[in-house]
Amino acid sequence: YPGDEPFSLNLPNIERLRSGLQMMRAYTSSPMCGTSRYSTITGRHPSRSAYSRQYQPDADVSKVAIPTTKLDDISSVDDGNDCSSNNIAALLQGNGYKTGFVGKWHLYNSDDTEYDYWKVQEKIRACGFDAAEGIYLENLNNEWAKYGSFSHNMEYLTEKAIDFIDDAVADGQDFFLYFNPTAPHVSGDVYE
């Protein structure tokens, strides 16, 4: 703070959060990380994933899990363009917004045995994001977590998010940033 006056960013709604926020209700389409991410981006229930409908068409919808909710286009499935058009980033990008992604993706389908950061960036950009930085694909215990010293690093992710916002503001662009850190994550940390 400069002097005794509170620092202001001219963001009154954000600044009101300084006094606290009490959330009385929370809803989710799924209590799992990847399935919830899929729903956040597409606005669809995880069971409506094109990937899931292709590879598990007879699955019990209550048991749709992370491996089947990837953000892919599946041409053999009706309305199966989850990546290229059926998501919020693609919609906003098509309407002139600068779109960005920072954080945990976990919506990538890959048979690759080696992590290729640039390939992952391309995949995310194909799904409607102009920028994709600070990306990690999996959970901390996954084999790919060892690639990149920034994996699951909140300070690094926050820096990349601020860089994206600063760039959009400097360019005078409306923007959408999907900032997706891991923490808090594992529901197994909560016991009766």
Side-chain angles (χ1 to χ4, degrees):
Y1 296 127
D4 294 330
E5 293 298 314
F7 179 69
S8 175
L9 297 172
N10 274 338
L11 300 170
N13 293 326
I14 299 295
E15 290 169 12
R16 273 196 290 271
L17 294 177
R18 288 183 186 172
S19 62
L21 175 68
Q22 183 178 16
M23 300 175 113
M24 303 299 292
R25 297 181 185 165
Y27 301 93
T28 183
S29 61
S30 174
M32 297 180 78
C33 61
T35 51
S36 181
R37 283 178 175 83
Y38 170 84
S39 292
T40 300
I41 291 176
T42 65
R44 295 177 171 202
H45 289 285
S47 60
R48 298 305 304 151
S49 158
Y51 193 85
S52 178
R53 289 183 286 146
Q54 169 71 21
Y55 296 104
Q56 291 187 326
D58 299 323
D60 178 346
V61 296
S62 68
K63 297 193 179 1
V64 172
I66 292 165
T68 61
T69 51
K70 303 302 181 189
L71 205 63
D72 277 334
D73 285 348
I74 307 290
S75 60
S76 60
V77 174
D78 287 341
D79 195 24
N81 295 328
D82 290 346
C83 175
S84 62
S85 60
N86 290 335
N87 70 70
I88 190 168
L91 175 71
L92 290 173
Q93 185 184 55
N95 282 281
Y97 282 71
K98 179 176 184 175
T99 57
F101 175 84
V102 173
K104 183 178 178 187
W105 185 244
H106 215 178
L107 295 169
Y108 182 69
N109 180 37
S110 175
D111 295 325
D112 295 342
T113 56
E114 290 189 33
Y115 177 74
D116 182 340
Y117 188 82
W118 315 118
K119 188 175 179 181
V120 175
Q121 278 185 310
E122 275 182 34
K123 176 71 174 172
I124 293 171
R125 286 184 185 127
C127 292
F129 292 95
D130 296 308
E133 295 294 339
I135 304 159
Y136 48 95
L137 296 180
E138 303 289 347
N139 295 322
L140 281 168
N141 60 349
N142 185 277
E143 178 68 16
W144 282 9
K146 70 182 181 185
Y147 297 100
S149 59
F150 59 84
S151 184
H152 301 265
N153 179 316
M154 280 301 298
E155 289 81 8
Y156 182 77
L157 298 181
T158 302
E159 177 185 340
K160 291 299 179 185
I162 291 169
D163 288 348
F164 173 82
I165 293 168
D166 286 346
D167 289 347
V169 170
D171 293 341
Q173 286 189 278
D174 292 329
F175 66 91
F176 167 73
L177 172 64
Y178 185 48
F179 180 68
N180 200 20
T182 298
H185 189 249
V186 180
S187 59
D189 293 341
V190 179
Y191 302 96
E192 281 187 36

